[in-house]
Amino acid sequence: MHPLISICIPTYNRAELLDYCLDGLAPLQDCGTPLEIVISDNGSTDDTPEVIKAHSRRNKLIRAHRFAETRGPAPNWLNALRKAEGEFML
């Protein structure tokens, strides 16, 4: 089903904050609204990839994309928005 809402999360070396954020978004799996969580990782060098992998196993709404190397904030934001498929994005 095509998502109505895309929650876009650009991130870089924020494993702890991302873990907290994704924990808070987990209940949305049962909200009944077609949505997705789109994560764009800007080539993080901390535990961010592991956090994304762990949450992706538990939350079917997550779609993650990772740059092999850091490209800067603007390209990371744009990547999250381009990968989103929802009618509305935030």
Side-chain angles (χ1 to χ4, degrees), residues 2-4 6-7 9 13 16 18 24 31 35 41 43 46 49 57 71 73 78 80-81 86:
H2 191 74
L4 176 65
S6 296
I7 299 170
I9 304 173
N13 285 346
E16 194 171 307
L18 182 63
C31 75
L35 58 92
D41 180 9
D46 66 353
R57 284 193 294 264
R71 297 192 183 177
L78 290 173
L81 294 173

Side-chain angles (χ1 to χ4, degrees), residues 6-28:
S6 296
I7 299 170
C8 301
I9 304 173
T11 190
Y12 176 70
N13 285 346
R14 297 285 185 256
E16 194 171 307
L17 182 59
L18 182 63
D19 186 45
Y20 175 80
C21 178
L22 294 175
D23 278 342
L25 293 173
L28 293 177

